Amino acid sequence: MVEICQVSEENLKLLLDEFQQSTRASKQNCQSVAERIKQEVERICIESKRIQASGEISKWAKNLAQHRLRQCLHYYKLGSREGRIHLHSSLSAIVYRYITPPQIQSSYQARLNLIEDFLQQFYLEALNAFRRETELPIMYTPHTLLELAEYMAFTERYGKRRIPLSGGRSQQLIILRAQTFSHQQPKETSVDIDQAAEGTTSDSDKTWNDGSIQQVREAMAARQDTDDDIGSLRQVVIEELMAYLEERQQQDCADYFALRLQDLSTGEIESILNLTPRQRDYLQQRFKYHLLKFAMGHRWELVHQWLEADLEHNLGLTPTEWTALHDQIDAEQKSLLDLKHKGLSDEAIAKTLGRKVNQVKKKWHKLLELAWELRNHSNSGASASTDE
């Protein structure tokens, strides 16, 4: 132990000196990254039976530290854009032959699209592993170029880790993940508000995964790089929902939402938040309540615009559904809908209808719920037809 402590301090000095000489990062930034690499090397040397049995712990420690130093500086010199391209290309080449679901085996472009989906999911897993292994906060993200280089170097090593299998065999972790991903197709892998709300499919409240909320899933699943406006609107929805929860002192719900957006499993969330399954289930239900309040009342315009279910799109209803909505509402609700279409404020509508503002808001909330139920009924019918 004395030996590893001594070489760890030597490694720290080497790493710090090299980062300060080879990068433009601040001294504090260099210190933090060097410290994390030193601790990783130290942990590996202590936990590896092979290294412990080699009798050359110091040599292993120095080689591991230098290897990580070279990797980190390599990505740093490539820069943010080229570094990402290099990492993406390297990992894509590894998993290409393993992303082969039968239904698309003849489609080269479809395979590339699936690889893109898989790697986005894998990057999230690698980031979570990086936070966990370096004991960083659960919301940590790289901010400087050196930190981004550190994360990309870690992601490459993480993907190439050898995982022991039966019969004395081993396989790279990213290949195992790719095989699992491929076997699970077709499967939606994008992270969205619906997933954040409902948890896994084994959670208790199955009714939440309805066709109305499915629209949130589909909107979240849309690729941001194909429509910058939609991507920006999605981010605004996330940020405002976070602010909404924090303003109402629902920090535990905000934490839960943040973890779900990172695509963590139910078990991981329970572990990070130190919750029992029962406590996590209660927190999940409370979050769902606040999510619905936000989506249907607090910022309904924003959410419906993002879902393309705003008033300009007849609340996302088809002509048949729009007619059905009018058949189910009374004269006052029809007037409310017409006044909303004209762009009048709640105050102006209340004055016109001879109602209080809160009464107008409640009636509008119920009307929105009815519209979502109509979309839900339609989507459920489509799903049933597909299943048959």
Side-chain angles (χ1 to χ4, degrees), residues 132-262:
R132 183 172 60 251
E133 295 184 12
T134 55
E135 299 182 347
L136 285 165
I138 61 174
M139 296 299 292
Y140 168 84
T141 54
H143 292 295
T144 68
L145 179 56
L146 181 57
E147 289 174 346
L148 180 60
E150 176 193 21
Y151 161 67
M152 289 192 288
F154 174 88
T155 300
E156 181 182 335
R157 293 194 305 273
Y158 180 72
K160 294 179 179 179
R161 284 182 182 178
R162 306 296 302 191
I163 305 300
L165 304 174
S166 60
R169 298 176 299 115
S170 67
Q171 185 58 277
Q172 289 180 327
L173 183 146
I174 194 171
I175 291 177
L176 296 177
R177 293 288 191 268
Q179 290 173 327
T180 300
F181 175 88
S182 183
H183 293 157
Q184 291 175 343
Q185 295 302 313
K187 176 184 177 182
E188 183 179 298
T189 57
S190 298
V191 181
D192 56 50
I193 279 185
D194 184 26
Q195 288 176 318
E198 74 179 35
T200 64
T201 56
S202 62
D203 287 333
S204 59
D205 189 0
K206 297 292 179 22
T207 60
W208 186 256
N209 189 19
D210 59 22
S212 299
I213 301 298
Q214 180 67 15
Q215 292 187 337
V216 182
R217 177 188 294 277
E218 291 168 355
M220 273 287 193
R223 289 280 300 277
Q224 292 187 45
D225 56 358
T226 60
D227 191 331
D228 290 339
D229 291 337
I230 291 177
S232 299
L233 193 55
R234 170 188 181 276
Q235 188 60 33
V236 171
V237 171
I238 292 174
E239 290 174 357
E240 294 219 7
L241 176 54
M242 279 291 195
Y244 175 84
L245 293 171
E246 291 172 357
E247 285 172 6
R248 284 152 182 77
Q249 298 182 336
Q250 298 295 324
Q251 187 59 51
D252 50 351
C253 288
D255 292 341
Y256 175 83
F257 180 40
L259 293 174
R260 288 303 308 167
L261 285 175
Q262 294 170 39

Side-chain angles (χ1 to χ4, degrees), residues 56-103:
E56 298 180 321
I57 298 177
S58 296
K59 182 179 178 180
W60 272 99
K62 290 177 182 178
N63 288 341
L64 289 170
Q66 290 173 352
H67 172 64
R68 281 152 178 74
L69 173 64
R70 288 194 298 271
Q71 272 191 314
C72 195
L73 291 179
H74 172 66
Y75 279 107
Y76 182 90
K77 290 173 183 176
L78 285 175
S80 174
R81 182 175 181 276
E82 292 302 319
R84 293 169 192 265
I85 293 174
H86 175 80
L87 176 64
H88 201 74
S89 299
S90 299
L91 298 183
S92 295
I94 295 175
V95 303
Y96 179 81
R97 63 187 291 257
Y98 299 97
I99 304 290
T100 55
Q103 66 270 27

Side-chain angles (χ1 to χ4, degrees), residues 2 56 95 103 119 138 250 259 263-264 279 317 334 352:
V2 174
E56 298 180 321
V95 303
Q103 66 270 27
L119 286 178
I138 61 174
Q250 298 295 324
L259 293 174
D263 204 25
L264 294 181
Q279 289 172 326
L317 299 174
K334 290 177 182 178
T352 301

